[in-house]
Amino acid sequence: MAVLNKIRQRSLFLILIIALALFSFVLADLFRNSDALVSKSQNIVATINGKDITREDFLQKVEVAQRQSGPNATNTQVVNRVWDQEVRKAVMESQYEELGISVEKDKMRDLIKTALATNPQFLNEAGLFDENKLNEFIANLKDIAPQPGFFNGQPITYADWTNYEQNIAVNALQQNYNNLVKAGLTGTLAEGELDHKLEGDKVDIKYVQVPFTAIPDSTVSVSKSDISAYIKAHKKQYEVEASRDIRYVEFKEEATLEDEEAIKAELNMYLNGRLVDETGRKDTIVAFSKVNKNAEYINIIAGSSEKYEEEFVFKNSLPTTFADSIYNLKVGAVFGPYKHDGHYKLTKLIAEKNIPDSAKVRHILISYLGARSATPEVTRTEAEAEATADSLLAVLKRDRSKFPEFVTAFSSDQGSVQNEGRYDWHPYNTMVPEFNDFEFEGKVGDLDVVKTVFGFHIIEIEGQTDKKRAVDVGTISKKIEPSEATINKVFRDASKFEVEVDKNDFQEVANESSYTVRPINGIKVLDENITGIGSQRQIVRWAFEDESKVGDIKRFTIPSGYAIVQLVARHDKGLMAVEDASATVLPLIRKEKKAQMIKDRITATTLEDVAAAENTSVRSASAINMKTPTISGAGREPLVVGTAFGLDEGETSGLIVGEKGVYMVQVTKVTPAVELDNYQAAANRVEQRKSGTVNSKVYNALKEAAEIEDNRARTQVQ
């Protein structure tokens, strides 16, 4: 009993313990679910019409697109391109699924056949598409995956081929969908009749215009509350994305005049030569004009940024500004130092000779396994290729008429096969060095085998232009760049400014040191470029971080040096601020107020009285139509023209607020459109106009109606 009494006495305590245990269990589950939700949200780049695009899948596509785009496309440009593709794909797929549109296997094969119908890789001897070759090609790709095969002369993996097929299917689905939409866009006879009348019905009018410019802007007051009210009344026009305003000062690491003088001094040392005596060691620098081993001197001793390889060029290949000075040098003479293309240079004329500036040849290329031009079909060894070339050469020396036949049968250069192996007139240095040397240093009629990185060429020189002087020049080039002392000074200046603006006003500190402050307003979360310093996603990301507060300052390393950046303002998604909207809203409100002022002061009811009261004149306009609502002397005025078409002949309107002023109109003549026996032709024109807009407008309409959640910034794919 004592034990039971103790339990009863502590029952409330036990209940509390149990409740807390249950509560902690529920909380733990909530935290687990919350973590899972956060993890999921960070892995979903977008949700489009209920379909998720995962980060992993998206980045894989970005990687492929980056390879295809090459080094000139920035990561942000590629991401945006892939984003647009993925949004289009998701938006359209939801339509295909809803309508039950698909591309079946048999249809897919037909589409691929059509796409490859003229591709030489899949044609038989009769020049017709061979499905067996296609099947063999695909089977080989599967066998060597993930190693590349070749398609249209380019390496391709089985995954690349699958993407190619998918693109064909997507294009077919898009075409089918557009055709279905077009099929529903008919032009009825009623629409044809209306279109005919909009263009054919005409009215002549007399009118008075009181232009808005008659009231000076300075006499119309517009308050902030007026602008705010206008924005709220036109919300859709003034909705904006989240944005940030920043300002920055750039500290450029660029060469000073002292740095340039030091570079020129170094080049003068090579120009004149010198004898250096340091701690008893003599170091002789021979003058550039006196050396014989030019490649070693330029590339190694002088450490030129422009490496020397023997190559003869004509005058038009020399730097335009200095071409005469260099071309007219004697062999062994040196020109410079001179400034060109961001470098200081010394140029020596090493050799000269007379050569044609263009040539015409025909050739047969015998490739081999491992040569640069080799395709998967090439299995012959280098020795076998050389033997084949020598055998063909022996035959051709006896009978050159067989050249076209041998080109077709043996040449690996598909680019010249259709032209009997011929490369028509082309300039010096167009071909690889060995090929170039043979065709320009030989004489017309020469025929021989020449080996290059592509294989063994049997070349016949068919023509050469008259010979002229070409020169071989060597250049010691030094890039104009800041010295280490200059770089250190820029770093110190940037650091000092960063410290000072952390305690004082950004603009005032910049003014004290005569630094230029660049304000950049309206940066969006997915923007890339910052005006003045180019692609700077790092700055944009920082500006949008939750931890970044207005007034914060940060130093960024940029290609040109450093940027000290201050976050000036954070603008949330929603309606545009009054200050930002003022530039566009102010003229509109002024126009409304001027219109009301004009209407309030006009009491006259006839054109003549209004003209007299407003010190203007009554004007006329003829043959006005609704399709192009333009009034001669006033310009485009749809509302005024529409009002005129609602009046009877001789009737006068009230005051009309138009685009450029307040009007009063009187209709003097109504000319109906000519009645047609049949409006089918007009209906057909209406249908053509509708169909013509499908490709450009349907997707944009679907995209606007789609539910798109863009998480690119949050998932950090950009």
Side-chain angles (χ1 to χ4, degrees):
M1 288 294 291
V3 174
L4 288 173
N5 283 333
K6 286 183 179 180
I7 291 174
R8 289 192 190 102
Q9 291 168 4
R10 298 187 180 182
S11 59
L12 180 60
F13 176 73
L14 290 171
I15 290 169
L16 286 171
I17 293 296
I18 293 168
L20 286 171
L22 288 171
F23 184 59
S24 65
F25 177 76
V26 172
L27 277 179
D29 190 51
L30 283 172
F31 282 127
R32 281 195 297 271
N33 288 336
S34 175
D35 290 343
L37 288 171
V38 171
S39 176
K40 180 184 177 184
S41 69
Q42 291 177 341
N43 193 46
I44 302 300
V45 172
T47 302
I48 303 169
N49 287 340
K51 292 185 177 181
D52 292 338
I53 297 176
T54 66
R55 187 173 188 273
E56 181 181 5
D57 181 55
F58 188 83
L59 289 179
Q60 284 178 350
K61 291 175 180 175
V62 168
E63 184 180 348
V64 172
Q66 186 75 69
R67 288 201 307 269
Q68 294 171 343
S69 301
N72 293 329
T74 67
N75 179 258
T76 300
Q77 289 171 334
V78 174
V79 166
N80 289 340
R81 193 179 309 142
V82 174
W83 168 260
D84 291 338
Q85 292 169 354
E86 290 300 293
V87 170
R88 176 181 281 272
K89 178 183 174 185
V91 168
M92 296 309 302
E93 279 181 353
S94 63
Q95 292 292 305
Y96 304 150
E97 290 172 6
E98 188 174 339
L99 295 171
I101 304 174
S102 62
V103 177
E104 303 302 324
K105 186 175 180 180
D106 291 343
K107 176 65 175 175
M108 190 67 216
R109 297 298 285 187
D110 290 339
L111 290 170
I112 294 174
K113 288 179 187 177
T114 301
L116 302 176
T118 59
N119 190 310
Q121 194 168 347
F122 305 105
L123 302 183
N124 59 22
E125 291 78 4
L128 301 175
F129 179 80
D130 189 336
E131 189 170 353
N132 291 327
K133 286 193 172 186
L134 174 62
N135 293 334
E136 182 182 354
F137 170 76
I138 296 173
N140 287 337
L141 279 182
K142 286 182 179 178
D143 290 341
I144 64 174
Q147 301 302 318
F150 284 86
F151 177 57
N152 290 334
Q154 300 296 323
I156 181 174
T157 65
Y158 183 66
D160 294 331
W161 175 259
T162 302
N163 287 334
Y164 175 74
E165 289 185 339
Q166 288 174 348
N167 288 334
I168 290 177
V170 166
N171 291 336
L173 286 168
Q174 179 79 64
Q175 189 63 47
N176 290 344
Y177 182 86
N178 286 346
N179 289 340
L180 287 173
V181 175
K182 289 177 182 178
L185 295 176
T186 58
T188 65
L189 291 176
E191 288 176 309
E193 183 178 1
L194 175 62
D195 190 67
H196 173 72
K197 289 184 176 180
L198 286 174
E199 186 172 7
D201 286 346
K202 301 185 187 302
V203 295
D204 297 348
I205 65 170
K206 292 194 298 183
Y207 71 94
V208 173
Q209 179 202 47
V210 183
F212 294 130
T213 54
I215 300 176
D217 288 350
S218 59
T219 64
V220 182
S221 61
V222 179
S223 65
K224 284 189 176 181
S225 60
D226 291 333
I227 297 174
S228 179
Y230 189 94
I231 293 170
K232 290 176 182 176
H234 302 81
K235 288 183 178 180
K236 192 166 185 180
Q237 293 173 246
Y238 295 96
E239 287 178 348
V240 292
E241 302 174 41
S243 65
R244 302 290 184 265
D245 298 343
I246 65 169
R247 55 184 174 180
Y248 72 89
V249 171
E250 181 183 10
F251 290 84
K252 286 188 176 182
E253 291 179 342
E254 53 188 5
T256 63
L257 289 175
E258 291 79 6
D259 294 335
E260 291 196 26
E261 289 301 321
I263 295 169
K264 287 195 286 186
E266 181 184 359
L267 287 179
N268 279 319
M269 176 186 70
Y270 295 115
L271 175 66
N272 302 315
R274 76 172 188 181
L275 181 65
V276 180
D277 189 351
E278 295 179 355
T279 63
R281 181 177 63 84
K282 292 187 177 181
D283 183 11
T284 302
I285 301 294
V286 178
F288 190 19
S289 60
K290 296 180 180 178
V291 298
N292 294 320
K293 296 181 178 179
N294 291 287
E296 179 184 345
Y297 188 89
I298 295 169
N299 299 339
I300 300 173
I301 296 174
S304 173
S305 57
E306 183 178 323
K307 301 305 178 184
Y308 169 75
E309 288 184 10
E310 183 181 335
E311 180 182 62
F312 284 85
V313 297
F314 297 103
K315 183 179 178 180
N316 59 8
S317 296
L318 299 172
T320 305
T321 307
F322 308 100
D324 286 335
S325 299
I326 296 171
Y327 190 73
N328 293 330
L329 290 172
K330 293 182 178 179
V331 173
V334 178
F335 173 72
Y338 62 96
K339 191 175 184 178
H340 173 253
D341 197 23
H343 293 70
Y344 274 108
K345 299 180 178 182
L346 277 180
T347 296
K348 175 181 177 180
L349 198 147
I350 294 172
E352 62 183 358
K353 64 181 176 181
N354 292 321
I355 53 177
D357 63 2
S358 60
K360 176 182 177 182
V361 300
R362 59 178 176 175
H363 85 131
I364 302 165
L365 172 61
I366 310 300
S367 187
Y368 57 84
L369 191 63
R372 189 181 295 178
S373 62
T375 61
E377 293 79 18
V378 175
T379 58
R380 70 173 70 91
T381 64
E382 182 177 345
E384 290 170 339
E386 184 176 14
T388 300
D390 288 340
S391 298
L392 295 177
L393 176 66
V395 174
L396 289 172
K397 283 185 174 180
R398 295 192 299 271
D399 184 1
R400 297 195 183 194
S401 67
K402 291 184 177 291
F403 210 105
E405 176 188 336
F406 286 176
V407 168
T408 303
F410 296 99
S411 185
S412 297
D413 181 11
Q414 295 302 311
S416 65
V417 166
Q418 300 301 320
N419 198 30
E420 297 183 345
R422 185 168 286 106
Y423 279 106
D424 225 325
W425 294 103
H426 54 277
Y428 186 76
N429 279 335
T430 301
M431 303 298 191
V432 289
E434 300 85 356
F435 197 114
N436 181 82
D437 290 347
F438 178 81
E439 62 177 335
F440 283 93
E441 294 186 6
K443 59 183 183 296
V444 175
D446 282 359
L447 175 68
D448 210 338
V449 172
V450 175
K451 183 185 177 184
T452 74
V453 293
F454 296 105
F456 293 91
H457 306 257
I458 305 165
I459 307 173
E460 180 184 8
I461 304 174
E462 294 190 308
Q464 294 174 333
T465 55
D466 291 337
K467 294 184 177 183
K468 63 180 184 179
R469 182 174 181 254
V471 294
D472 174 26
V473 296
T475 297
I476 300 174
S477 178
K478 296 291 180 178
K479 186 177 180 181
I480 300 173
E481 53 189 1
S483 63
E484 187 175 343
T486 298
I487 291 172
N488 291 338
K489 182 179 183 303
V490 171
F491 177 79
R492 289 194 301 272
D493 290 345
S495 300
K496 180 182 177 183
F497 180 77
E498 182 183 10
V499 171
E500 290 181 354
V501 295
D502 192 44
K503 302 172 185 176
N504 303 292
D505 182 76
F506 194 94
Q507 185 68 58
E508 289 180 2
V509 175
N511 290 343
E512 289 172 3
S513 299
S514 299
Y515 295 143
T516 301
V517 176
R518 296 288 298 271
I520 308 293
N521 298 329
I523 299 171
K524 305 295 189 303
V525 68
L526 295 175
D527 282 353
E528 176 183 23
N529 289 315
I530 302 294
T531 304
I533 50 178
S535 177
Q536 289 297 324
R537 276 294 298 164
Q538 55 174 341
I539 296 178
V540 177
R541 287 196 196 99
W542 168 76
F544 277 89
E545 288 174 359
D546 292 337
E547 296 79 11
S548 298
K549 308 301 179 188
V550 173
D552 283 0
I553 292 162
K554 187 170 182 179
R555 176 176 56 190
F556 292 90
T557 301
I558 59 177
S560 60
Y562 306 97
I564 309 301
V565 184
Q566 183 179 51
L567 180 58
V568 175
R570 298 171 63 101
H571 304 289
D572 295 331
K573 180 179 180 180
L575 289 179
M576 190 181 291
V578 170
E579 293 76 12
D580 297 332
S582 291
T584 54
V585 174
L586 197 59
L588 300 174
I589 297 177
R590 279 203 187 111
K591 175 180 168 181
E592 288 182 355
K593 291 196 172 192
K594 287 181 180 183
Q596 192 59 49
M597 291 166 68
I598 293 170
K599 288 171 70 177
D600 288 345
R601 77 190 187 195
I602 294 176
T603 58
T605 57
T606 67
L607 296 179
E608 291 72 19
D609 290 345
V610 172
E614 293 295 328
N615 195 27
T616 185
S617 59
V618 178
R619 289 183 279 181
S620 300
S622 303
I624 298 170
N625 69 69
M626 289 278 281
K627 201 164 189 179
T628 53
T630 302
I631 302 173
S632 60
R636 184 176 172 82
E637 288 288 359
L639 185 58
V640 180
V641 172
T643 302
F645 270 88
L647 300 174
D648 294 327
E649 193 170 297
E651 188 176 359
T652 302
S653 73
L655 296 174
I656 311 162
V657 178
E659 294 295 318
K660 297 173 182 159
V662 176
Y663 297 78
M664 183 177 282
V665 175
Q666 183 183 76
V667 175
T668 58
K669 183 181 178 182
V670 175
T671 307
V674 176
E675 294 287 339
L676 301 179
D677 295 333
N678 188 295
Y679 291 96
Q680 187 60 56
N684 291 342
R685 289 194 295 272
V686 172
E687 183 175 333
Q688 288 171 1
R689 284 202 301 271
K690 288 181 180 180
S691 296
T693 64
V694 168
N695 291 347
S696 61
K697 292 187 176 180
V698 167
Y699 168 68
N700 290 334
L702 292 171
K703 180 183 175 183
E704 188 174 343
E707 295 179 1
I708 301 175
E709 183 182 338
D710 184 352
N711 298 324
R712 279 178 289 173
R714 188 170 65 198
T715 52
Q716 296 184 346
V717 297
Q718 245 181 337

